[in-house]
Amino acid sequence: MDLETSEISNYKSSAVLSKLASNEQHGENSPYFDGWKAYDNDPFHLVNNLNGVIQMGLAENQLSVDLIEEWIKRNPKASICTNDGIESFRRIANFQDYHGLPEFTNAIAKFMEKTRGGKVKFDAKRVVMAGGATGANETLILCLADPGDAFLVPTPYYPGFNRDLRWRSGVQLLPISCKSCNNFKITIEAIEEAYEKGQQANVKIKGLILTNPCNPLGTILDRDTLKKISTFTNEHNIHLVCDEIYAATVFNPPKFVSIAEIINEDNCINKDLVHIVSSLSKDLGFPGFRVGIVYSFNDDVVNCARKMSSFGLVSTQTQHLLAFMLSDDEFVEEFLIESAKRLRERYEKFTRGLEEIGIKCLESNAGVYCWMDLRSLLKEATLDAEMSLWKLIINEVKLNVSPGSSFNCSEVGWFRVCFANIDDQTMEIALARIRMFMDAYNNVNKNGVMKNKHNGRGTTYDLTPQMGSTMKMLLA
């Protein structure tokens, strides 16, 4: 019997590729990444493609890039590719060991202190480089766990964790279920329940991973919750990994509290079990620079992570530039203040626009996205209904927003929508599209019947073609 084309393809792959290369554990078979593909195939452009897909699935902070550009113009010596900086070219272009340039690691430690309000000190000797937060997360997991071991993770969580933490390490992620009834706050009861389930399944639990501020919720963990969580991990002798890559994106009170503050206050906590992941991708808007940081309070982890960092070093040219920039205290302080101000203004403008349309979001004070509540638009509270709504938004409204199920959310109907990676005009067009979609949707009951305002009779119709025509009207 002849094999189907897909079966032949899979057979050929398994014959020439390793099990790692040919498996499906990379996590990219997800609506989260499918939305990116839809954007890549038909990207919106204010001049060249007004009918394209607007990218609102990319968690980038592009609102203050002009401040960075102005600093670079004022400081040509920071680059080895200018007449002013060429004198450093030979030294920087030569091989450097994987400890990093001293001026760079010192500047990173100093920046971490500033983004945490100067309440804690960081030791430059504990700063380990990695290729972005992706590389930092994987490096840390490889230091802490063996294949088959598991980490507890509160839901909803960043979809990339399935790739970054699991694919090459072979570890498992055990969800800690958080609910909308208390605004998705992490409770010790939920942590204990997830831990017990893992124990009953004979899974070796090595740690708990937090994202603080949270992606996708845009919320921060309060001091009391952090203390309870650190006490739990300490009592069970498991690691606590805190992903703090959005530390400088907090734009409204309360202020961000780092896990570093908590362990400084509580001498009973075993610091060897506490680790921080940081980066410059979100705080400064430098995702392309691939600057990830592992910061551990455990000497053995630091030494091991530094050896592993040779697989994903930050280029010395990038280190050199950033050492200059992050050592400019006046600039960094002004940037952090202005960036928070712009994030706040954009968040308030966008969420106010959604609220006027009748869409609410989880109240948040950090990050570059909103956790949008579209539960009322579902025909039923099922994953299929959420996927149907998401496909309509992608294909007809032409917005790449990410469904909650791709974040392992325990409840359907929530969507993450990013607001800081687009300009003001594009944001207004996105809001206009959503407004038109809601107007059309509100005229249709959940059985697909549109009420006739003149005679009260209903006529069956397909929502998708109508949305296609309304999009044309919007962009005409």
Side-chain angles (χ1 to χ4, degrees):
M1 183 176 67
D2 292 337
L3 293 172
E4 295 290 337
T5 302
S6 61
E7 292 176 327
I8 294 174
S9 177
N10 290 337
Y11 173 77
K12 289 181 177 179
S13 294
S14 63
V16 299
L17 298 177
S18 68
K19 291 181 180 179
L20 173 65
S22 57
N23 70 31
E24 297 296 323
Q25 299 303 312
H26 48 71
E28 291 193 3
N29 295 329
S30 159
Y32 175 75
F33 292 103
D34 287 343
W36 284 36
K37 294 170 187 175
Y39 168 77
D40 289 339
N41 291 332
D42 186 23
F44 171 86
H45 191 277
L46 282 168
V47 176
N48 299 326
N49 190 18
L50 270 175
N51 294 297
V53 176
I54 295 177
Q55 175 63 289
M56 305 191 81
L58 181 61
E60 280 190 355
N61 182 5
Q62 298 180 12
L63 299 184
S64 299
V65 70
D66 61 303
L67 302 179
I68 302 292
E69 291 171 341
E70 289 302 317
W71 184 91
I72 291 173
K73 291 176 183 177
R74 296 194 305 269
N75 295 271
K77 195 173 182 179
S79 172
I80 60 174
C81 298
T82 64
N83 289 334
D84 299 84
I86 193 65
E87 63 184 28
S88 299
F89 180 86
R90 189 182 299 270
R91 177 178 70 89
I92 297 303
N94 286 340
F95 174 77
Q96 306 286 342
D97 68 29
Y98 38 62
H99 286 73
L101 298 175
E103 58 267 34
F104 172 72
T105 54
N106 285 328
I108 287 291
K110 196 173 182 181
F111 182 72
M112 290 177 68
E113 291 172 8
K114 287 182 179 178
T115 55
R116 288 150 181 83
K119 296 180 181 178
V120 286
K121 293 291 183 181
F122 289 93
D123 184 355
K125 295 179 180 179
R126 294 190 175 278
V127 172
V128 181
M129 293 183 295
T134 294
N137 274 309
E138 185 187 55
T139 296
L140 191 50
I141 293 301
L142 290 172
C143 288
L144 302 180
D146 295 313
D149 292 346
F151 283 81
L152 302 171
V153 188
T155 64
Y157 63 79
Y158 168 54
F161 275 173
N162 293 319
R163 173 199 60 206
D164 303 352
L165 306 178
R166 296 177 57 226
W167 185 26
R168 300 196 296 184
S169 70
V171 304
Q172 303 179 60
L173 297 182
L174 303 182
I176 301 169
S177 183
C178 300
K179 306 289 186 180
S180 63
C181 58
N182 69 338
N183 296 322
F184 295 98
K185 291 182 179 178
I186 305 169
T187 65
I188 292 299
E189 292 75 18
I191 295 175
E192 290 174 342
E193 181 180 351
Y195 183 84
E196 288 302 320
K197 283 184 179 179
Q199 293 289 88
Q200 292 170 10
N202 293 319
V203 176
K204 187 176 183 180
I205 298 174
K206 292 300 295 284
L208 189 154
I209 298 172
L210 297 176
T211 56
N212 183 35
C214 178
N215 176 12
L217 301 179
T219 56
I220 62 173
L221 293 172
D222 60 79
R223 187 179 301 274
D224 183 59
T225 300
L226 283 170
K227 285 182 177 180
K228 289 179 180 177
I229 293 174
S230 58
T231 298
F232 176 89
T233 55
N234 196 67
E235 289 176 347
H236 290 80
N237 197 36
I238 61 176
H239 294 280
L240 178 57
V241 177
C242 291
D243 185 329
E244 298 185 348
I245 69 171
Y246 288 94
T249 68
V250 179
F251 50 79
N252 275 330
K255 293 182 178 180
F256 173 70
V257 179
S258 171
I259 192 62
E261 287 186 54
I262 303 302
I263 64 174
N264 279 353
E265 297 169 356
D266 191 343
N267 294 326
C268 295
I269 296 176
N270 181 2
K271 290 187 176 183
D272 282 345
L273 295 173
V274 181
H275 324 276
I276 295 174
V277 170
S278 186
S279 84
L280 301 183
S281 297
K282 314 302 180 182
D283 290 349
L284 287 176
F286 286 164
F289 277 23
R290 309 309 302 145
V291 179
I293 300 297
V294 173
Y295 189 94
S296 177
F297 297 90
N298 184 314
D299 292 341
D300 291 333
V301 171
V302 170
N303 292 332
C304 180
R306 186 156 285 140
K307 294 171 186 174
M308 289 186 180
S309 70
S310 60
F311 295 102
L313 293 174
V314 179
S315 76
T316 49
Q317 182 179 354
T318 300
Q319 292 183 53
H320 179 72
L321 173 66
L322 292 175
F324 263 88
M325 183 181 296
L326 298 181
S327 297
D328 186 338
D329 293 338
E330 183 179 354
F331 168 75
V332 171
E333 290 175 11
E334 290 177 353
F335 177 89
L336 292 175
I337 292 172
E338 181 64 20
S339 176
K341 174 177 174 288
R342 294 184 185 186
L343 284 170
R344 179 173 59 253
E345 291 174 347
R346 174 59 69 85
Y347 167 82
E348 291 176 350
K349 189 173 184 178
F350 186 69
T351 54
R352 185 167 56 247
L354 289 178
E355 193 168 353
E356 290 172 354
I357 303 168
I359 296 175
K360 293 184 178 180
C361 295
L362 182 74
E363 185 175 354
S364 58
N365 69 324
V368 294
Y369 34 70
C370 301
W371 192 232
M372 186 168 61
D373 185 1
L374 298 184
R375 288 176 293 176
S376 63
L377 304 187
L378 299 181
K379 292 183 177 180
E380 54 186 3
T382 64
L383 178 59
D384 286 344
E386 180 179 277
M387 286 297 94
S388 294
L389 178 59
W390 172 72
K391 289 175 182 177
L392 179 62
I393 295 172
I394 283 281
N395 297 324
E396 298 300 333
V397 190
K398 294 292 190 74
L399 299 178
N400 175 29
V401 300
S402 306
S405 55
S406 63
F407 294 83
N408 284 76
C409 186
S410 60
E411 302 176 17
V412 295
W414 294 88
F415 291 75
R416 191 193 72 171
V417 52
C418 300
F419 58 74
N421 65 312
I422 53 179
D423 56 46
D424 288 338
Q425 192 174 353
T426 303
M427 183 198 70
E428 293 296 345
I429 292 174
L431 283 172
R433 290 185 182 185
I434 299 172
R435 184 179 299 110
M436 186 161 286
F437 166 70
M438 290 299 293
D439 286 345
Y441 199 97
N442 289 332
N443 285 329
V444 183
N445 68 24
K446 292 188 178 181
N447 293 318
V449 176
M450 182 169 61
K451 294 181 179 179
N452 188 311
K453 293 182 180 179
H454 299 289
N455 57 24
R457 291 178 295 179
T459 54
T460 302
Y461 92 122
D462 184 352
L463 187 61
T464 303
Q466 191 207 31
M467 282 309 304
S469 63
T470 54
M471 289 305 104
K472 291 178 182 178
M473 289 169 56
L474 171 64
L475 297 172

